[in-house]
Amino acid sequence: MSSFRFVHTADLHLDSPLKSLALRDPDLAGRVGDATRSALERIVALCLEERVDALLIAGDLFDGEQQSMKTAAFLAQQMRRLDEAGTRVFIIRGNHDAQAPVTGALALPPNCHVFTGRGGIVEHRGVAIQGVSFPDRSAPESLLPKYRPPRPGMPNIALLHTSLAGAEGHDTYAPCSVADLKAHGADYWALGHVHARSVHAEAPWIVMPGMPQGRAIDEAGAKSATLVTVGAQGIGVETRPTATLEFARATVALDGVDDWEGALRQAAAALEAAAEAAEAPAAVVRLTLGGASPLAWRLRRDRALFEEELRAMLPAAGDVFLEALRLDVEPDAVRGGSASPVDGLGALMAEIARDPGFLSEAEDYLGRMVQALPPELRDRFGADAAGRAAVLAALVAEGEATVLAALDAAADEGGAGAAD
């Protein structure tokens, strides 16, 4: 047979609400807000450049209840570009698509085939392609019983939106095992749902392509679509970058640094290095300042000023953005002279933070605060008791450091005034 080529993607979450701290920067918020659309445009461009036979979308084109008909119109426009080139599109609906109000009213060009919840097989250019859509947002049981046996005498490709045996940070949907997929007999399983790319097997190919565009720091790293060639010699798999923005983390050690300008220069260099390492045209970086430095208290007191001056140092090309600044920097072990009253207060605060009564009251307060948040935000404060305790400890430590920084600065100013 002549080769059959297709692009496999999933989890575009078109026009999903921004989850990033980048909302505080209007210019960056606009870039992040358009990023999922840009990713689809790059996927379509890849299909056209490679002259593939098909585009496979393994669920979660949309992002649930927030979508509008403008999103559907944009999708239809991109699909028409493929229709004009003679490229077929095969789609299954994932759990987020099942929630989206536009899903039922979606009008796509004739090159698009959306598999139903009953499944089915379509033969296209000597290849059998099948998939099963989510009929609603939940799929607690495996969908594999709905898949048909492979068609003999031709390559078989199957689309499935699934959490497999489970993945950290993802709810369980249409659970099944890699062994179950291998036993079915398909030559390539085009999966979706888990946002990180993973190749679970190569005989047959079982590929989770990952999402093509991250939306926040917890979706950091390079993003791509999968280009697949099915030929007489077997199946070849490649990745192609799709993101226009790449979220990343960077750390700067300020050990011994006592110069504000020097700290700014090191921070700016770290941001630019992250941009150079990114596959995407631009990087959105969460920067952590660590180490032990005489600047520790001042950085906590004047964090907003440091962020403002750091952003002003970034290149005008718009290829790197500061998403957020995290402070993990500590004062030098030796402050000079005898211990100050602030040091003594710090020791007392640390002792109180270990008191069972304080911890119980703090846990109760955090629990009430979390329950007041929208459900989709609650897991950020710990998905279980251990996670909640870790978040609480971090918040207490941050609070201690912030109070001590303000008191230390006030003590320095008072001392300076007395000397005058």
Side-chain angles (χ1 to χ4, degrees):
M1 60 167 284
S2 59
S3 64
F4 180 89
R5 306 180 76 220
F6 64 91
V7 169
H8 166 205
T9 190
D11 302 288
L12 283 94
H13 295 278
L14 286 173
D15 293 342
S16 61
L18 296 181
K19 301 191 298 181
S20 173
L21 292 175
L23 279 168
R24 296 183 300 183
D25 182 335
D27 292 336
L28 178 54
R31 292 276 293 271
V32 175
D34 292 338
T36 56
R37 289 193 177 203
S38 297
L40 178 57
E41 289 173 337
R42 296 188 76 179
I43 290 168
V44 170
L46 172 63
C47 292
L48 297 176
E49 291 166 6
E50 295 290 341
R51 299 183 179 182
V52 299
D53 299 287
L55 169 63
L56 275 56
I57 304 176
D60 283 0
L61 262 170
F62 302 112
D63 197 67
E65 299 174 357
Q66 300 90 350
Q67 303 315 306
S68 69
M69 291 309 297
K70 289 183 179 180
T71 307
F74 169 75
L75 172 63
Q77 177 191 44
Q78 296 303 310
M79 297 303 98
R80 281 194 294 271
R81 294 173 61 196
L82 295 175
D83 188 28
E84 293 168 359
T87 305
R88 293 292 305 274
V89 181
F90 297 92
I91 301 170
I92 57 171
R93 294 170 177 158
N95 52 297
H96 284 274
D97 298 319
Q99 302 173 56
V102 301
T103 298
L106 190 59
L108 293 172
N111 64 321
C112 296
H113 180 87
V114 181
F115 290 97
T116 69
R118 296 186 299 274
I121 294 181
V122 176
E123 292 188 14
H124 177 49
R125 297 186 181 175
V127 174
I129 301 172
Q130 66 170 307
V132 175
S133 285
F134 278 41
D136 52 53
R137 64 176 297 176
S138 63
E141 306 296 333
S142 174
L143 294 178
L144 281 180
K146 295 185 177 183
Y147 282 76
R148 316 293 171 82
R151 291 276 171 90
M154 63 179 64
N156 281 261
I157 300 168
L159 292 82
L160 174 63
H161 198 77
T162 176
S163 59
L164 290 176
E168 184 178 355
H170 294 272
D171 293 331
T172 299
Y173 287 101
C176 60
S177 68
V178 170
D180 294 333
L181 298 181
K182 288 182 176 181
H184 172 269
D187 300 289
Y188 184 98
W189 279 97
L191 305 184
H193 182 62
V194 179
H195 291 176
R197 176 177 170 78
S198 181
V199 177
H200 294 278
E202 297 183 8
W205 284 92
I206 302 175
V207 178
M208 189 75 71
M211 67 191 320
Q213 173 61 61
R215 299 163 297 169
I217 194 63
D218 57 353
E219 295 170 345
K223 305 301 177 186
S224 63
T226 302
L227 176 63
V228 183
T229 301
V230 182
Q233 304 303 315
I235 296 177
V237 173
E238 309 171 48
T239 59
R240 295 295 175 87
T242 51
T244 56
L245 291 173
E246 184 173 318
F247 286 85
R249 292 179 174 87
T251 301
V252 173
L254 295 179
D255 294 282
V257 176
D258 59 2
D259 172 29
W260 182 268
E261 293 298 325
L264 281 169
R265 287 192 297 271
Q266 289 194 37
L271 293 177
E272 293 182 22
E276 291 177 2
E279 285 190 2
V284 183
V285 185
R286 179 170 294 184
L287 180 66
T288 298
L289 302 182
S293 166
L295 292 174
W297 299 125
R298 185 182 173 191
L299 285 168
R300 290 192 179 276
R301 182 191 64 185
D302 298 330
R303 176 205 295 256
L305 175 63
F306 190 90
E307 288 189 32
E308 181 180 348
E309 293 183 350
L310 178 56
R311 286 191 169 95
M313 295 175 66
L314 297 179
D319 60 355
V320 59
F321 298 90
L322 176 65
E323 187 258 4
L325 181 69
R326 292 285 180 261
L327 297 180
D328 195 26
V329 61
E330 299 177 350
D332 278 347
V334 180
R335 295 168 56 91
S338 59
S340 73
V342 174
D343 294 323
L345 179 60
L348 178 60
M349 292 173 67
E351 183 177 347
I352 292 173
R354 295 190 294 269
D355 180 76
F358 168 81
L359 288 174
S360 176
E361 186 174 347
E363 287 171 359
D364 179 66
Y365 180 84
L366 179 62
R368 286 185 280 113
M369 183 195 76
V370 170
Q371 287 304 310
L373 293 172
E376 64 270 17
L377 297 180
R378 292 173 188 167
D379 281 354
R380 299 189 183 191
F381 291 84
D384 52 26
R388 189 70 53 82
V391 169
L392 180 62
L395 290 173
V396 170
E398 179 72 13
E400 289 178 21
T402 301
V403 171
L404 292 175
L407 292 174
D408 188 77
D412 286 347
E413 292 170 1
D420 291 342

